[in-house]
Amino acid sequence: MPRASAADAARTAQRILDAAIDRFTADGYAAASVDDIARAAGVTRGAVYHHYADKRGLLRAAARAGHERVAAAVVRRADGETEPAEQLRAGCHAFVDSITTDTAARLLLVEAPAVLGWSEWRGLDAAASVAELREAVALVAPASDVAALTQLLSGAMNEGALWLMERVGDAEARAALHRSLDRLIDAVVSSPAPPR
């Protein structure tokens, strides 16, 4: 019997990952079984373990994919602006919107930190949207404050997204969050400009 090509293997791994994201999002990590994920992906349990080692590894891959999707949305929106302050603003708003309208919110902000641990989760976050946020903050804030401001804004946006998760479909809550986020960004932008 011929072995699967690398392209076939990648498609299988992606089907498994997509099924896992659906199950982790709908049921949570604890309730999502590897058997259910395998069945939804149309593969055997062995295939899941071949591609992802274990259920935790599958959650790690799902979280990484979610972080990358959110970061891509941030970059797309920020790149539509030319002024650094507006790039920061657009990227922050894109983060809140993308994480709360995507399947990513529960997976990224509830399940992944609980299962992977805070340190590993922060590493995944730091490699994606936090890296983009740090670059944007560096363009509008003093170098000595960039790290702290990045963490504060990141934490505020994560908490805001969790708050919105409890208010699904509440347009006024979303608008209030965006207005409040603008106030935070205005404070960052009004700090002394970094030396060029």
Side-chain angles (χ1 to χ4, degrees):
M1 181 192 274
R3 293 189 61 123
S5 70
D8 289 338
R11 282 192 294 274
T12 299
Q14 187 62 53
R15 275 199 334 269
I16 294 167
L17 183 59
D18 291 343
I21 290 168
D22 288 346
R23 295 282 39 96
F24 293 150
T25 300
D27 305 329
Y29 178 81
S33 75
V34 172
D35 288 332
D36 289 341
I37 292 168
R39 198 170 16 263
V43 300
T44 65
R45 181 182 176 97
V48 174
Y49 289 125
H50 170 74
H51 288 284
Y52 293 100
D54 58 19
K55 185 176 166 185
R56 192 171 186 274
L58 191 49
L59 179 70
R60 183 181 301 110
R64 183 177 293 112
H67 279 297
E68 289 169 358
R69 262 192 332 274
V70 170
V74 166
V75 169
R76 273 192 309 275
R77 181 106 49 99
D79 283 351
E81 301 294 335
T82 56
E83 294 298 318
E86 292 312 308
Q87 289 175 330
L88 174 62
R89 188 178 314 280
C92 288
H93 286 281
F95 175 87
V96 169
D97 288 341
S98 65
I99 202 167
T100 57
T101 57
D102 186 276
T103 58
R106 179 177 182 179
L107 179 65
L108 291 181
L109 300 177
V110 177
E111 301 297 331
V115 174
L116 300 176
W118 187 244
S119 205
E120 185 173 355
W121 178 85
R122 286 189 73 188
L124 292 171
D125 192 32
S129 55
V130 171
E132 300 298 335
L133 178 59
R134 183 176 289 111
E135 287 179 21
V137 170
L139 295 175
V140 298
S144 60
D145 296 344
V146 169
L149 286 169
T150 299
Q151 292 309 309
L152 288 170
L153 277 174
S154 177
M157 288 185 289
N158 287 335
E159 284 297 321
L162 287 167
W163 183 73
L164 280 182
M165 283 174 57
E166 296 171 356
R167 291 155 181 81
V168 175
D170 186 339
E172 181 47 40
R174 183 171 295 278
L177 181 65
H178 280 288
R179 286 190 307 270
S180 299
L181 185 53
D182 278 337
R183 287 177 180 220
L184 292 174
I185 294 165
D186 289 344
V188 170
V189 170
S190 68
S191 61
R196 297 278 174 200

